[in-house]
Every structure is written in structure tokens, then in C-alpha cells.
């Protein structure tokens, strides 16, 4: 009992040993406004403990490769080795899962809670059976949002062409938030405006769930265990053009631009040339923002459940089987079996006598080809499985028939929602710290379709009953594989605990040699690792934004002209002097100062061990949104310093440089609410500054503009780890290069940085672009040259000469939107801007020194054989890298080259590594010892060779002398015979036959003779 409420008594409550029975009391106010509400005072629900099969995979020794299971469904799990040995731990636990109940007797959920202490009551049926035009529908939704605030949350995902809201009613026990482990389900109605039955059924369903929560056990269980999203009308403009009584017409089918929304989604087989419509864009963005598991799109004109694929690669009308064909048939039958007319398989016999659908279901392409359909886009691009349900042969029936449509489909609508609790579910968890791993991949052997974990590491994977090998993989972790037996009833819980690759992600430890110092450094590093991880996964940043909402700027944002901007920045410097410094980079042609703001706990003090990030805006004066976002960002950081621990830690660990207006002259010329005007785009001399950044004198035709020179000098200061430039005219992120190049070094890292920004933006990942844009975007990011190729861009200069990656973020389709749009644009970009502050702490960082501990300044760090960064004062370096394995080479003159491999995680701070150089003993690129030994051997060989040659020559010379003397002796004999008037033999020999080889004594003697 409670004051102001009708008391309630429950009898025959069953208490079981070892488990507390859950007994919920739903008390009706004493002034009940309806008989149904008064009747509800006599009802109570009690949810008994339900055994759920749970399997957890953790690394284990090979001898522990065993499995155990508990639970009432007999499911089991057998782990297998895949990258590491695994074992399965399982146990029963209380579950909120909604098992697929048997169809109750007419009247619905009576008996669903039998044996649990529940007092069975008839569910309260809807009372509002009529057609609801837009205003009527809006009031209906507001009414039930106010009537059931504890379980409802009304929101809009966008607007139609004519500006009507695309409303969604969320129904859950914790509306407005994702609960890890709880699946998300959606119904969408009225995609074709003249097919109205789905719209009215979904309004009936909202009323039914609202009025029966806490009254009917089945509804209560569904709402407590599922996050349900209901969009009654995706095409409110078309609905207003439809006419009651239309059987098979087309008036109102399309949107106000006369496009069929179910032919307007990107298609896997066919290029959709029609421009993407606002309704399509809104729904695509919505589907990317929530981890939907199962969905149905409600149509009219036939009576059948249609499942993927909707089209065929060849464009033919034939069965087009998806990898999950068995799952789709299972969930399709779950609906059709509860609708007798549908399950009969002969719909609309008078209109289409030849049509027959076995069991009331059909493959979409086998029925007819639908390129650009929504159900296929769901399946191919998200985790969500969707079918299309045709609810009746008449597209716009008379209001008097609506009650019968509800009676035919109520059980089917409820049973289909139960299907979201089939297959396997669980968490992918970091083995080291127990935190969830987002964006991990869950793959099933033999089924070429993967799902990914959500922010907290939770996943749902729909599967038909059977035995499956399921593998969990994540960047930076060893994969793990488990064999599971999926049962007919409820989802089997399978948790994966993945070990990290390469330890914590670094290579070598801290920088101090003293064990005590090193231990303290490692402890601090581990604590910072946890801090960055908490902000990188799950709802870490969302919680940070929620925690700092009290210090957000009050009121709406406004534009600042040059004088207002200068005063604003001086005000930040004066009010927060301990963390803010203001710097004059230079002046524009018209002598306006280009300001740079540094936010750090030691502004203007070089701290090479900290990452340095640069935020730039206003290079085009006619796109000032970025300027205002950076001013608000700077204010947000300063206001929360010392108040919010996370913001304080980020500022203490980072050097943040903000340049809000590069082109102040152009900004003075631009005019508000000019979405496409080029006035103010260039500087005062008519130069587009983003075509003026050239590092090589040979590339520059004229002298750099003063604004360009000021920014180039800032970039060339080096030491920057990341740069983010804000521009306008689109909603996407681009990465280098702007110039046309065949290949981009380190493209995966650049692409990853752009993707991180886009993924944290609420609308950017939708592949939608702005009206009139011809560029096709993949997830809200692309290489800059694909958007607009040109030379001399700031980001290219930053890459080539500043050795710093820079991404450009386009924040608004309108270049200069009205000031009242700034608050919404700030809300969209605050989270991705904060994520960049987190992201700059990742990758790889460290110090380069020699064996004596002396830091080496100017050493070159080569990443994957391409991109180069250089060590700064103290030998520090920091480089951002995409998650995965990377090769790093360190090169310094006079030292031996070092090579290492690092593993980078998407969720961990860069571990500090130490690279120690040995003196370079190489000669001609070869080890000194080898060169010296080779040289010695060569010299020895040369000496031996010389000696051999000398000996050979000497021997040959002696033989020549011996022969010559013998010849000379013969001549002496002949001369003695014929000598008549000449002197002695010596005189003859000395004049006629003197040999050059004779000794000096012999020559002297001969002369004396």
C-alpha cells in the first residue's frame, strides 16, 4: 500500500529455494481515470527466475579444453582453439529474456505467468480505432508519452520534405538509454503513404503496450527485456495525399518529391541514381545510431511476409538467397503463423487469383525485384535483420475495418517481437581489465554475414536452432572460437574474453633505469591507459558530456565578427591565465591579427613528451561555423578545467592549439544565412588560401599570402601529432591528399582518423551527403581529392612539410547558417571534437636514445616503410597509427638502424617505448668486423701475390742472364781466333758486349782497362 493509491494483496506467492521470487506491485491511483486503470489495481506480475545458458570463453591450457552447460534447454558450448586455447565456463543465471511463448487462448496473455504468483487478467485492448492524420497522430503520441512516462520516450529522427517530424516512440523499462545485453527492436510503418494499415496498427500497439505494462505478464516481460522503437509513419507527406477506400491506387504512395522511398536506399547490386530523399537520409542515420537486432517494415496491398534478398544480381525475378536465409524464414513464419489468413497462403484471391505463398512467406526477389529497398540495406549495412510485412489487400481501408486488422495481427505483432530473443547473445570482453570491446566482429562458420559488438561490447546474433562454430575477433586481440548449440527457446548467452596481442600494446617499458622509478612510471602509465580506454569505449564520452552539461554555455550561440572574436579570446586568456595563452601568429592583408590560443597546464612551456594537437578553422571566411565551434570548444574546456576530472586530465596531458580564424578579412565580407554564396571565401586579395600552401619554391609562382605564411610557420614548428581543420558546405570528414596522387602513404591511418570523427558525429556516417552533392560517401568520410582535387592545400602542406596528419571536417551543409542553428551544430560536433583529444593519445610514442642514455634529437622514425616523423627535444616522438600491427624503423646518423613491430589498439593509449641505438660500426653498410677481416685477408692475399710475382720474375731474370753469358763466351772464343790489332779481351768486351746488368765495379774496372 501507498498513500494516494489503491492497496493490493497477492496470495499464493511461491518461494523457491535459493532464488528470490520477483514480486512487482502496480498500484492504481485512487482517482483512476478509466475503468481499465481501476481494474489494473487488482493485477500484479511476478517474474520467476528463468534459467539461461551462459558460456564464457577465456584463455586456458590445452588440457582445459572442456565444456559444461546448465539450463532448462539443454544447450551446450564447446570451445575450440583459434589463436589461443579456450575453455568454456557456464552457469545458470536469472534472465530477463523473453522466450517465445506459445500462443495463448483468445484474449491474449492470460496464463502466461501461471505458477508464478501472478493474478491473471485479460489484457486491456486499444480503444482508438480510426485514421490519424499528422496532427492527430502527433497528439496521440504526445498523449501516451505523457501517460506512460516511466516506459516511453518520444523522439524524432528527422523531417520529411514538407517539414513533418518523423516521430519514434521508444518503449522500454529504461527509456532513453541502451542497456548492455538488452536487444533493440523496431517497427516502421507507412513507408508508402497510401498504405495506412501499418500506421494505425503501430499506434494501436503503442496504446496496447502502454496500458498493459504491469498488467499483462507478456507485455511486461517484453518491455522489461527489450528496447522497442516504433515509427508509425516514415512518409507523413504521402499519407496526407492518400484517400480512404483506395484499394490498389498510387495517390500518396511516394513522398512529396514523387520518389518511392522503398527504391531510394543504396543497393548492393544496382546503382540507385535518384537523389537520396530527406526521409531516407533520416532513417539511414537513425539505423546507424542504434544497435537494432530485428525489424519489420509494414506495408499494404497483399498479405505475406517478404524476406531478403529483395533483388537479384542479374535483375531477374528468382529466389535471391541471403546468407541468413534460415533465420529469415524462421522469423517470417513466426509472424505468419499467428495470422490465419496470411498463413493460408492465398491472399487477395479476387485481386490476384494466381498468387500463392507457402506458409504466408516469400523471398522478395522470387516475388518481384525491388532494387533500393530498405530491408536489404538494413541487413547488408547494419546488424539488423528486417522483413517486409504486407498486412492486407486493401491499401487504405475504411476506418470501420481497422479493429478487425488489429484482431488479426495483435498476436503476430507480439510474437514477432519475441524473435529478437533468439540465437546467441553476450559480451566480448578484454581479458586484462574486464571491460567490453566495442566493434568486435562475431562471425559464424558457414554464414557469410557478421555482426559487430556495440559500445559496451555487447552483441546479439540471430540464429536458427542448430550447432554453430562462433568466432569473436577484435583488432589488437587474439581471436577466440566456441562451438555452441542453439536451442528453440531463448538466446544462449556466450561471452568471449579475448587476450591482448603483445601484452598491453607496447614494446618496451618505461624510461627510467631505476626499478622504483620505472615501477611508478609503469603504474602511472597503466592508470592513464585505463583512463583513455574508458573514454574510448561504451558510453564513456557520452557520460562525460552528461557530467559537464551543467557548465555548458547558457543560451544560444552567436556569431563573432573580428573585434568580437579578438575580445573573446583575450577574455579567455585573462580569465584562465593558468591554462590559456594567447599568441599573435601574424596579420592579414587588412592588418587583422591571426590569433592562436594554447590550452595546457603549462602554456608556452615546451613539453615534448606530451602530444600536441592543432584545431584550425576559418580558412574560408564564408564558412564561419567552424570558428564558432572552436570558440565554444575552448570555452567548454576552460569552464570544466578543475571541475570535471576527465577534462582536467585531458588538458594536463595534452598541448591544445586553437586557431579559430585563418581568414579574418574574408569573414568580415561574408553574410549570415548565405548557404551557397562565395562572398568572403577568399582573402582581401581574392586568393583562396587553401590553394596557397606550397613548400617548394619551384611550385610557388608568387609570394605566399600573409595569412598563409603565418599558418605555415605554425605548422613548421613541428611537434604536432594531429591537426583538425573545420570547414563548411557539407557534412563529412576528409583525409589527405587534396592533390591528385596515385597512392597515399599511411592511408589506413588517415582514413581511420577521419572515420573516428565521422563515427562520433550523429549524422555524418549516414552515407547521405547534402542536397545536390554528387559525391558518394562511404560512412561519412573520404579522401579529399575525391571531393575536390586541388593543389596547395593546408592539409597537404601539413602532411608533407609538417609531418603531421590533418583531417578536414565539413560541419554544415549551409556555409553560413542562421545563428540559431549554432547550438545544434555544437551539440553534433562536441563529442567528435572531444574524441580527437582522446585519439591524439593513441598510436605509438617513445624516446630514442643511445646506450649511454643520451637522447637523440632529429632521429627519423619511418612508419611501415613510408611516412616519416622526427624526434624532438629529449628524443621524444609520437605517431598516430590505425589499429593493427605496424613496422617501425628508427634511423639516426652514426648509429645502427633499429627495427621493431608494434601493435596498436583502437581503445588504448600509446604505450611508451624506448629505442636504444648502438654506435654505427658499419662500413659501406657492412659490419665493421666483417669489413676489417675482409680487408686483412685481401691485404694478405695482395702481399703473397706480390711475393710470388717477384720470385717468378727474379727466377726468369736469372735464366736470361745465364743464357746470355753462355752466348758471350762463344763470341769470346771466336774473337780470340780473329783478333789481330785490338787490345785485350777486357777492352773488347767492355766496348762491344757490355751487359746492363753488370755491377758498377765491373764497369769501373772495364773503363780503367
Amino acid at each position: 500500500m501507498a498513500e494516494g493509491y489503491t492497496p493490493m494483496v497477492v496470495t499464493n506467492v511461491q518461494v523457491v529455494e535459493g532464488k528470490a521470487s520477483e514480486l512487482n506491485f502496480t498500484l492504481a491511483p485512487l482517482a483512476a481515470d478509466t475503468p481499465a486503470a481501476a481494474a489494473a489495481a487488482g493485477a500484479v506480475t511476478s517474474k520467476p527466475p528463468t534459467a539461461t545458458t551462459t558460456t564464457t570463453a577465456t584463455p586456458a591450457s590445452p588440457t582445459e579444453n572442456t565444456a559444461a552447460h546448465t539450463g532448462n534447454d539443454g544447450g551446450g558450448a564447446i570451445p575450440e582453439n583459434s589463436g589461443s586455447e579456450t575453455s568454456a565456463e557456464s552457469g545458470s543465471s536469472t534472465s530477463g529474456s523473453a522466450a517465445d511463448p506459445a500462443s495463448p487462448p483468445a484474449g491474449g496473455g492470460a496464463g502466461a505467468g501461471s505458477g508464478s504468483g501472478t493474478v491473471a487478467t485479460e489484457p486491456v485492448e486499444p480503444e482508438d480505432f480510426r485514421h490519424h492524420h499528422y496532427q492527430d497522430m502527433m497528439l496521440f503520441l504526445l498523449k501516451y508519452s505523457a501517460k506512460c512516462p516511466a516506459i516511453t520516450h518520444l523522439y524524432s529522427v528527422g523531417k520529411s520534405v514538407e517539414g513533418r517530424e518523423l516521430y519514434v516512440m521508444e518503449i522500454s523499462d529504461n527509456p532513453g538509454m541502451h542497456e548492455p545485453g538488452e536487444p533493440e527492436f523496431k517497427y516502421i510503418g507507412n513507408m508508402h503513404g497510401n498504405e495506412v494499415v501499418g500506421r494505425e496498427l503501430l499506434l494501436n500497439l503503442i496504446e496496447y503496450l502502454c496500458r498493459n505494462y504491469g498488467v499483462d505478464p507478456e507485455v511486461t516481460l517484453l518491455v522489461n527485456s527489450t528496447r522497442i522503437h516504433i515509427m508509425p509513419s516514415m512518409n507523413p507527406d504521402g499519407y496526407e495525399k492518400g484517400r480512404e477506400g483506395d484499394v490498389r491506387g498510387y495517390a500518396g504512395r511516394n513522398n512529396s518529391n514523387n520518389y518511392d522511398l522503398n527504391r531510394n536506399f543504396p543497393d548492393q547490386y544496382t546503382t540507385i541514381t535518384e537523389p537520396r530523399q530527406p526521409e531516407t537520409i533520416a532513417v539511414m542515420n537513425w539505423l546507424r545510431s542504434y544497435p537494432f537486432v530485428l525489424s519489420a517494415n509494414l506495408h499494404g496491398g497483399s498479405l505475406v511476409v517478404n524476406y531478403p534478398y529483395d533483388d537479384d544480381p542479374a535483375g531477374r525475378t528468382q529466389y535471391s538467397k541471403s546468407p541468413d536465409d534460415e533465420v529469415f524464414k524462421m522469423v517470417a513464419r513466426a509472424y505468419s503463423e499467428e495470422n490465419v489468413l496470411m498463413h493460408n497462403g492465398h491472399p487477395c484471391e479476387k485481386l490476384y487469383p494466381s498468387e500463392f505463398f507457402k506458409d504466408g512467406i516469400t523471398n522478395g526477389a522470387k516475388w518481384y525485384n525491388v532494387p533500393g529497398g530498405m530491408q536489404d540495406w538494413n541487413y547488408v549495412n547494419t546488424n539488423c535483420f528486417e522483413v517486409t510485412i504486407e498486412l492486407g489487400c486493401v491499401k487504405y481501408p475504411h476506418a470501420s475495418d481497422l479493429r478487425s486488422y488489429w484482431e488479426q495481427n495483435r498476436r503476430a505483432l507480439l510474437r514477432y517481437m519475441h524473435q529478437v530473443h533468439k540465437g546467441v547473445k553476450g559480451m566480448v570482453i578484454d581479458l586484462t581489465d574486464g571491460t567490453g570491446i566495442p566493434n568486435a566482429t562475431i562471425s559464424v562458420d558457414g554464414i557469410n554475414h557478421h555482426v559487430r559488438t556495440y559500445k559496451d561490447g555487447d552483441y546479439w546474433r540471430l540464429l536458427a536452432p542448430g550447432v554453430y562454430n562462433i568466432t569473436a575477433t577484435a583488432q589488437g586481440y587474439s581471436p577466440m572460437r566456441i562451438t555452441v548449440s542453439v536451442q528453440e527457446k531463448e538466446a544462449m548467452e556466450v561471452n568471449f574474453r579475448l587476450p591482448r596481442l603483445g601484452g598491453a600494446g607496447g614494446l618496451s617499458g618505461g624510461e627510467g633505469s631505476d626499478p622504483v622509478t620505472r615501477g611508478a612510471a609503469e603504474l602511472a602509465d597503466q592508470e592513464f591507459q585505463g583512463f583513455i580506454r574508458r573514454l574510448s569505449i561504451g558510453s564513456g564520452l557520452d557520460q562525460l558530456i552528461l557530467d559537464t552539461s551543467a557548465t555548458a554555455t547558457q543560451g544560444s550561440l552567436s556569431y563573432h565578427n573580428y573585434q568580437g572574436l579578438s575580445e573573446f579570446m583575450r577574455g579567455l586568456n585573462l580569465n584562465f591565465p593558468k591554462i590559456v595563452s594567447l599568441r599573435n601568429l601574424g596579420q592579414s592583408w587588412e592588418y587583422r591579427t591571426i590569433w592562436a590560443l594554447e590550452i595546457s597546464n603549462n602554456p608556452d612551456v615546451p613539453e615534448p613528451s606530451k602530444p600536441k594537437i592543432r584545431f584550425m578553422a576559418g580558412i574560408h571566411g564564408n564558412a564561419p561555423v567552424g570558428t564558432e565551434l572552436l570558440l565554444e570548444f575552448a570555452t567548454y574546456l576552460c569552464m570544466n578545467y578543475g571541475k570535471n576530472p576527465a577534462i582536467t586530465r585531458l588538458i594536463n596531458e595534452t598541448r591544445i592549439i586553437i586557431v579559430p580564424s585563418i581568414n579574418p578579412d574574408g569573414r568580415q565580407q561574408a553574410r549570415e544565412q548565405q548557404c551557397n554564396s562565395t562572398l568572403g571565401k577568399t582573402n582581401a586579395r581574392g586568393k583562396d588560401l587553401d590553394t596557397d600552401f606550397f613548400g617548394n619554391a619551384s611550385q610557388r609562382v608568387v609570394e605566399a599570402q600573409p595569412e598563409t605564411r603565418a599558418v605555415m610557420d605554425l605548422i613548421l614548428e613541428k611537434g604536432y601529432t594531429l591537426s583538425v581543420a573545420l570547414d563548411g558546405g557539407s557534412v563529412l570528414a576528409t583525409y589527405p591528399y587534396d592533390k591528385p596522387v596515385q597512392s597515399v602513404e599511411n592511408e589506413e591511418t588517415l582514413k581511420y582518423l577521419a572515420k573516428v570523427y565521422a563515427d562520433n558525429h550523429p549524422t555524418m556516417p549516414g552515407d547521405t551527403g547534402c542536397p545536390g552533392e554528387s559525391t558518394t560517401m562511404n560512412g561519412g568520410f573520404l579522401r579529399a581529392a575525391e571531393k575536390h582535387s586541388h593543389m596547395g592545400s593546408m592539409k597537404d602542406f601539413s602532411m608533407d612539410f609538417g609531418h603531421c596528419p590533418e583531417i578536414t571536417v565539413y560541419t554544415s551543409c549551409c556555409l553560413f547558417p542562421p545563428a540559431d542553428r549554432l547550438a545544434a551544430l555544437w551539440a553534433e560536433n562536441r563529442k567528435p571534437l572531444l574524441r580527437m583529444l582522446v585519439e591524439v593519445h593513441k598510436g605509438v610514442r617513445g624516446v630514442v636514445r643511445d646506450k649511454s642514455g643520451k637522447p637523440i634529437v632529429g632521429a627519423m622514425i619511418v612508419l611501415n616503410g613510408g611516412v616519416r616523423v622526427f624526434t624532438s627535444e629529449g628524443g621524444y616522438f609520437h605517431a598516430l597509427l590505425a589499429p593493427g600491427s605496424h613496422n617501425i624503423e628508427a634511423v639516426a646518423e652514426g648509429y645502427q638502424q633499429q627495427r621493431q613491430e608494434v601493435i596498436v589498439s583502437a581503445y588504448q593509449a600509446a604505450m611508451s617505448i624506448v629505442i636504444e641505438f648502438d654506435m654505427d660500426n658499419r662500413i659501406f653498410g657492412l659490419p665493421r668486423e666483417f669489413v676489417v677481416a675482409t680487408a686483412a685477408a685481401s691485404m694478405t692475399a695482395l702481399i703473397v701475390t706480390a711475393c710470388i710475382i717477384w720470385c717468378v720474375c727474379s727466377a726468369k731474370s736469372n735464366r736470361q742472364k745465364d743464357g746470355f753469358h753462355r752466348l758471350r763466351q762463344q763470341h769470346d772464343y771466336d774473337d780470340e781466333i780473329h783478333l789481330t790489332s785490338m787490345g785485350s779481351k777486357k777492352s773488347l768486351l767492355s766496348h762491344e758486349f757490355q751487359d746492363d746488368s753488370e755491377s758498377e765495379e765491373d764497369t769501373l774496372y772495364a773503363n780503367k782497362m
Side-chain angles (χ1 to χ4, degrees):
M1 64 180 63
E3 186 176 354
Y5 291 86
T6 302
M8 183 178 297
V9 177
V10 179
T11 60
N12 299 323
V13 177
Q14 182 181 0
V15 178
V16 296
E17 184 177 356
K19 296 286 185 179
S21 292
E22 184 175 346
L23 193 62
N24 299 318
F25 293 85
T26 303
L27 303 184
L30 287 174
D33 60 349
T34 64
V44 61
T45 63
S46 174
K47 293 188 294 183
T50 304
T52 300
T53 303
T54 303
T55 301
T56 302
T58 57
S61 64
T63 59
E64 295 175 330
N65 192 15
T66 60
H69 70 268
T70 63
N72 57 11
D73 60 5
I78 306 169
E80 296 185 7
N81 300 341
S82 180
S84 64
E85 298 291 339
T86 67
S87 68
E89 303 169 357
S90 60
S92 63
S93 61
T94 301
S95 171
S97 297
D100 187 10
S103 299
S114 60
S116 64
T118 301
V119 178
T121 61
E122 291 292 324
V124 181
E125 293 293 338
E127 299 174 345
D128 197 355
F129 293 105
R130 57 188 170 83
H131 290 297
H132 295 75
H133 286 266
Y134 176 73
Q135 293 296 332
D136 195 1
M137 180 186 74
M138 180 180 68
L139 291 172
F140 178 95
L141 295 172
L142 290 172
K143 171 186 173 181
Y144 279 97
S145 177
K147 190 170 185 176
C148 304
I151 62 168
T152 61
H153 168 58
L154 181 63
Y155 64 98
S156 171
V157 301
K159 293 184 178 182
S160 67
V161 173
E162 296 180 2
R164 294 181 175 90
E165 299 289 348
L166 303 179
Y167 284 115
V168 177
M169 180 72 89
E170 177 193 340
I171 301 178
S172 171
D173 60 342
N174 285 292
M177 67 172 61
H178 172 75
E179 297 179 75
E182 184 171 281
E184 307 221 8
F185 175 93
K186 65 182 169 72
Y187 272 130
I188 297 179
N190 200 209
M191 186 182 201
H192 291 145
N194 65 333
E195 298 171 12
V196 304
V197 174
R199 175 183 177 120
E200 300 307 329
L201 285 181
L202 293 183
L203 294 177
N204 294 151
L205 181 63
I206 290 169
E207 181 183 356
Y208 183 83
L209 295 175
C210 178
R211 298 181 70 185
N212 284 286
Y213 179 72
V215 176
D216 179 70
E218 181 184 12
V219 169
T220 305
L221 185 58
L222 266 175
V223 173
N224 285 342
S225 62
T226 319
R227 192 181 184 194
I228 304 163
H229 303 256
I230 299 175
M231 176 185 280
S233 181
M234 182 179 166
N235 185 5
D237 296 353
Y239 177 88
E240 299 301 317
K241 296 178 176 65
R243 293 292 178 264
E244 188 171 351
D246 179 11
V247 176
R248 51 194 299 186
Y250 290 92
R253 173 186 176 90
N254 295 346
N255 75 342
S256 286
N257 288 335
N258 200 28
Y259 288 104
D260 187 334
L261 298 180
N262 205 33
R263 309 293 189 277
N264 196 235
F265 284 77
D267 191 82
Q268 60 179 330
Y269 301 131
T270 305
T271 300
I272 305 301
T273 58
E274 289 81 4
R276 206 85 66 226
Q277 296 302 294
E279 297 91 345
T280 310
I281 292 170
V283 169
M284 290 172 66
N285 290 334
W286 177 43
L287 302 189
R288 288 186 179 275
S289 302
Y290 291 82
F292 292 115
V293 178
L294 182 62
S295 171
N297 178 15
L298 307 187
H299 283 243
S302 189
L303 194 60
V304 66
V305 181
N306 164 18
Y307 57 88
Y309 286 132
D310 250 340
D311 64 342
D312 174 78
R316 292 193 294 265
T317 299
Q318 60 184 9
Y319 202 111
S320 185
K321 186 177 181 180
S322 75
D324 280 290
D325 195 60
E326 292 302 316
V327 174
F328 279 116
K329 287 190 288 187
M330 176 184 74
V331 299
R333 287 194 185 97
Y335 194 98
S336 71
E337 287 171 358
E338 295 292 343
N339 186 315
V340 177
L341 293 177
M342 182 183 290
H343 192 257
N344 182 46
H346 288 281
C348 316
E349 290 186 272
K350 293 182 180 179
L351 294 175
Y352 313 107
S354 62
E355 279 192 340
F356 172 72
F357 304 110
K358 186 179 185 327
D359 295 333
I361 67 174
T362 184
N363 174 262
K366 185 180 179 182
W367 187 13
Y368 61 93
N369 252 264
V370 181
M374 183 166 69
Q375 71 175 13
D376 285 8
W377 190 87
N378 269 264
Y379 179 68
V380 172
N381 294 279
T382 75
N383 286 350
C384 187
F385 289 54
E386 180 172 283
V387 300
T388 301
I389 303 175
E390 302 283 347
L391 293 165
C393 303
V394 179
K395 293 184 176 182
Y396 202 142
H398 292 285
S400 58
D401 296 327
L402 292 178
R403 182 181 295 274
S404 64
Y405 279 102
W406 169 251
E407 292 169 353
Q408 291 168 15
N409 288 279
R410 178 179 63 83
R411 281 301 318 152
L413 289 167
L414 294 174
R415 188 179 176 195
Y416 186 77
M417 282 194 283
H418 284 295
Q419 304 309 300
V420 78
H421 294 277
K422 296 295 184 71
V424 293
K425 65 178 182 178
M427 300 284 294
V428 180
I429 301 166
D430 185 306
L431 180 63
T432 303
D433 58 16
T435 56
I437 303 173
N439 209 37
T441 299
I442 304 297
S443 56
V444 181
D445 287 4
I447 301 178
N448 187 26
H449 181 77
H450 310 320
V451 300
R452 294 186 178 276
T453 58
Y454 195 50
K455 296 177 181 179
D456 294 291
D458 54 331
Y459 75 92
W460 283 83
R461 207 320 175 175
L462 297 181
L463 288 169
V467 178
Y468 300 92
N469 294 320
I470 302 177
T471 303
T473 57
Q475 289 180 324
Y477 293 86
S478 295
M480 194 160 291
R481 184 185 189 208
I482 300 178
T483 300
V484 299
S485 176
V486 175
Q487 303 300 310
E488 178 72 30
K489 295 182 180 179
E490 60 187 28
M492 180 178 182
E493 185 172 347
V494 181
N495 299 318
F496 296 86
R497 296 182 179 272
L498 303 187
R500 299 176 185 176
L501 290 173
L507 292 174
S508 55
E511 302 168 14
S513 58
D514 175 59
V516 176
T517 303
R518 186 168 61 249
E522 289 176 354
L523 185 63
D525 193 59
Q526 290 175 5
E527 194 277 330
F528 188 66
Q529 285 278 343
F531 169 71
I532 293 297
R533 183 176 178 81
R534 287 191 296 274
L535 293 180
S536 298
I537 64 175
S539 56
L541 278 181
D542 295 319
Q543 187 61 47
L544 171 58
I545 291 171
L546 186 64
D547 293 343
T548 55
S549 59
T551 56
T553 301
Q554 300 299 316
S556 61
L557 279 67
S558 61
Y559 287 109
H560 296 78
N561 60 18
Y562 170 71
Q563 182 179 352
L565 179 144
S566 299
E567 292 174 354
F568 190 94
M569 297 185 75
R570 289 192 191 99
L572 287 175
N573 187 25
L574 293 172
N575 282 283
F576 304 97
K578 293 183 179 180
I579 61 169
V580 174
S581 71
L582 189 60
R583 175 182 168 191
N584 179 346
L585 297 181
Q587 290 188 319
S588 67
W589 274 112
E590 296 181 348
Y591 303 103
R592 293 184 176 92
T593 300
I594 300 169
W595 296 108
L597 197 73
E598 179 178 351
I599 301 177
S600 171
N601 64 340
N602 290 303
D604 294 329
V605 177
E607 295 180 283
S609 62
K610 291 183 180 179
K612 194 174 177 184
I613 186 170
R614 191 172 65 232
F615 292 97
M616 317 280 279
I619 195 168
H620 295 132
N622 63 334
V625 171
T627 297
E628 303 307 327
L629 294 182
L630 291 188
L631 292 179
E632 186 65 17
F633 188 46
T635 306
Y636 174 81
L637 295 175
C638 292
M639 293 288 290
N640 284 287
Y641 185 78
K643 296 180 180 178
N644 180 270
I647 295 293
T648 304
R649 184 72 182 272
L650 285 172
I651 292 174
N652 288 343
E653 300 289 346
T654 321
R655 294 188 66 193
I656 305 164
I657 310 298
I658 296 177
V659 182
S661 183
I662 298 172
N663 183 8
D665 295 352
R667 168 63 184 87
Q668 289 299 106
Q669 299 173 25
R671 295 293 177 263
E672 189 174 342
Q673 300 190 42
Q674 297 297 308
C675 290
N676 302 304
S677 173
T678 58
L679 182 64
K681 178 178 181 178
T682 62
N683 72 347
R685 294 298 177 93
K687 181 66 176 178
D688 183 344
L689 297 180
D690 203 38
T691 64
D692 195 46
F693 286 79
F694 292 98
N696 295 325
S698 61
Q699 295 177 316
R700 181 170 293 284
V701 179
V702 296
E703 183 64 26
Q705 301 294 304
E707 300 92 341
T708 308
R709 176 52 58 193
V711 175
M712 288 171 68
D713 291 343
L714 178 71
I715 293 172
L716 291 174
E717 289 177 0
K718 297 191 170 69
Y720 289 99
T721 306
L722 175 62
S723 178
V724 180
L726 304 186
D727 207 341
S730 188
V731 181
L732 77 156
T734 64
Y735 60 91
Y737 282 92
D738 282 299
K739 60 188 176 184
V741 292
Q742 295 298 319
S743 61
V744 179
E745 291 181 341
N746 209 27
E747 183 171 12
E748 286 305 311
T749 295
L750 301 173
K751 185 186 300 184
Y752 172 75
L753 293 171
K755 183 179 185 299
V756 167
Y757 196 103
D759 286 349
N760 284 271
H761 191 281
T763 64
M764 203 172 281
D767 296 344
T768 55
C770 295
E773 253 183 342
S774 58
T775 306
T776 301
M777 280 153 285
N778 179 22
F781 63 94
L782 53 91
R783 197 202 303 185
E786 296 177 34
K787 182 180 189 299
H788 172 53
S789 178
H790 63 282
M791 303 294 290
S793 76
M794 182 169 67
K795 73 161 68 68
D796 291 2
F797 182 85
S798 179
M799 282 287 296
D800 291 340
F801 298 94
H803 305 291
C804 171
E806 179 172 295
I807 62 171
T808 300
V809 176
Y810 296 85
T811 58
S812 170
C813 292
C814 181
L815 290 168
F816 203 149
D820 58 13
R821 283 280 299 141
L822 289 175
L825 293 170
W826 163 243
E828 290 175 358
N829 287 277
R830 174 170 49 180
K831 182 179 177 181
L833 287 171
L834 284 170
R835 182 58 188 264
M836 292 295 101
L837 279 185
V838 175
E839 208 63 30
V840 77
H841 288 278
K842 298 177 184 177
V844 60
R845 67 183 178 93
V847 64
V848 178
R849 64 191 185 194
D850 62 18
K851 286 291 187 182
S852 67
K854 177 184 176 182
I856 300 175
V857 179
M860 182 169 64
I861 308 298
V862 184
L863 310 174
N864 299 316
V867 175
R868 295 164 173 78
V869 296
F870 296 86
T871 57
S872 57
E873 293 298 322
Y876 290 101
F877 72 92
H878 192 153
L880 297 180
L881 292 167
S885 179
H886 299 272
N887 293 314
I888 292 181
E889 299 175 61
V891 181
E893 187 177 355
Y895 296 92
Q896 290 185 2
Q897 183 173 332
Q898 299 290 321
R899 290 184 177 86
Q900 296 186 12
E901 182 178 351
V902 296
I903 296 170
V904 174
S905 168
Y907 315 113
Q908 294 173 294
M911 292 293 290
S912 179
I913 66 172
V914 177
I915 299 176
E916 289 189 339
F917 276 119
D918 285 328
M919 292 298 294
D920 193 354
N921 293 320
R922 295 173 299 175
I923 301 175
F924 303 119
L926 300 172
R928 179 180 294 274
E929 294 80 2
F930 176 76
V931 174
V932 170
T934 303
S938 299
M939 290 298 296
T940 302
L942 285 172
I943 293 171
V944 171
T945 302
C947 291
I948 292 173
I949 293 173
W950 183 81
C951 293
V952 170
C953 291
S954 297
K956 184 175 180 182
S957 176
N958 289 336
R959 287 196 299 272
Q960 289 174 343
K961 288 181 181 180
D962 184 62
F964 182 75
H965 281 293
R966 286 196 298 272
L967 178 60
R968 187 173 59 183
Q969 289 173 0
Q970 179 65 38
H971 281 289
D972 287 345
Y973 177 73
D974 293 338
D975 288 341
E976 284 184 46
I977 296 175
H978 297 93
L979 185 62
T980 55
S981 60
M982 301 182 77
S984 65
K985 180 174 69 177
K986 276 285 186 182
S987 179
L988 179 64
L989 291 173
S990 64
H991 287 88
E992 298 289 338
F993 301 101
Q994 183 173 339
D995 193 331
D996 292 340
S997 63
E998 289 182 310
S999 65
E1000 292 181 1
E1001 289 83 356
D1002 290 340
T1003 303
L1004 180 61
Y1005 177 76
N1007 289 335
K1008 288 183 178 180
M1009 291 290 293

